Amino acid sequence: MLRQIEYAKLRRILFFSVIITILIFDLSAKSKNKNVKSFPIWITEEGKNSLFPKDEYLSASAFGSSDIEAKSKAAAEISENIKTIIKTNLSSEYFATEKNENINSYRKIRQNIISSSENTIYQLEYTTPYYSPDYGMYICVAYINRRKAFDVIQPKLDKTQKLFPSAYEKALSFDDDVKKIIAIQNAQKILNDFYESYDFAIAIAPEKAKAYSEIDILAAESFSKINDIKSKIKICVNVINDINNQVFDKISDCLSKENFSITTSNDNNYEAKATVNVNVTKTPSTYQTNPSITIEIFSNKNSVYSYTRQLDKVSGFDKDTVYHRSYKNLCNAIENDFLK
């Protein structure tokens, strides 16, 4: 009987020993799991490419001292990648069309569009920035879904494809060269939004962008056409009520920058005639005026272009100051608005 009691006690001791051992192993396993550091798959280049395959996404990763800096640097990397793709594409186009006499002019214009544009990026998304203890920095991936991004810009491309050819064709129908130039330039304004979208399309969906390449070719033709027409135009400039040839020089400078030939001889086929109005009146305490200017371009005594500006009031304590300010403001207006 005593042996049975001792045997039962031994069994209970063994049972509790087993339970305690299991609990110890369980707690140890949980503790180890807590110490295992999980990290997102995209922090490695291989993981990023598997999550954002290149045929479906344009992506870039970057480190930063903060989550905001990591996102900003990743976005900047995407932007630079897009610019590189665009410039590479344009270089190929230039090489293919270098026989065109005016391709250098077109090259300059297209490069200016790229440089001056804000390089708008559509459908840009980010992963949640991850802090890496190994690097002591945050890492983030910026990415663009190619299909979704193209769906956003396609309506703009379609709109230009519909509007520009007809606008350009209409501009070519003018019989006067200056009118034709101004009409072509107005048609080209349609291209501003186009190139912002077209260049982006080249970067994210090059095959789909090819459907709009004819617009790019037609645009190149329009720039070349303007240069061809301007080479035939010779303009003489005459200004009424000028002081020290200030307005004359400014108008001549603007026409020269637009690649018109300026002549003072009778060898001209156009005349730019300007009339300046700066009538200074005296008040009890100051002198003041409302300066204005009208510029008309004539061909065979027929007006083909007209520009008029009425400026804000100019005041001063003496006439010379008022005249100086008025002509300065008129020249600024001409530079900003004339032929625009």
Side-chain angles (χ1 to χ4, degrees), residues 110-139:
R110 288 291 283 115
Q111 291 289 11
N112 286 342
I113 290 173
I114 295 172
S115 300
S116 62
S117 71
E118 296 180 358
N119 195 29
T120 304
I121 299 177
Y122 299 88
Q123 295 293 299
L124 181 62
E125 299 181 77
Y126 305 90
T127 59
T128 301
Y130 169 76
Y131 180 76
S132 172
D134 294 335
Y135 294 99
M137 300 183 77
Y138 286 87
I139 183 172

Side-chain angles (χ1 to χ4, degrees), residues 258-298:
E258 290 293 326
N259 296 323
F260 291 107
S261 297
I262 309 302
T263 178
T264 56
S265 66
N266 292 326
D267 183 26
N268 66 283
N269 46 16
Y270 286 87
E271 178 189 15
K273 185 176 181 179
T275 302
V276 178
N277 185 2
V278 182
N279 294 324
V280 179
T281 59
K282 188 179 185 305
T283 68
S285 57
T286 62
Y287 292 88
Q288 62 184 33
T289 185
N290 290 91
S292 64
I293 186 171
T294 297
I295 306 173
E296 283 194 274
I297 297 179
F298 293 91

Side-chain angles (χ1 to χ4, degrees), residues 222-289:
S222 73
F223 288 115
S224 298
K225 188 66 175 179
I226 285 179
N227 289 335
D228 288 341
I229 297 172
K230 285 181 177 179
S231 67
K232 304 172 186 176
I233 295 177
K234 297 180 180 180
I235 303 178
C236 67
V237 180
N238 293 305
V239 183
I240 300 173
N241 298 331
D242 202 356
I243 294 181
N244 298 326
N245 287 331
Q246 295 179 70
V247 174
F248 173 87
D249 290 342
K250 180 55 66 176
I251 294 174
S252 299
D253 181 59
C254 288
L255 289 169
S256 296
K257 286 180 178 177
E258 290 293 326
N259 296 323
F260 291 107
S261 297
I262 309 302
T263 178
T264 56
S265 66
N266 292 326
D267 183 26
N268 66 283
N269 46 16
Y270 286 87
E271 178 189 15
K273 185 176 181 179
T275 302
V276 178
N277 185 2
V278 182
N279 294 324
V280 179
T281 59
K282 188 179 185 305
T283 68
S285 57
T286 62
Y287 292 88
Q288 62 184 33
T289 185

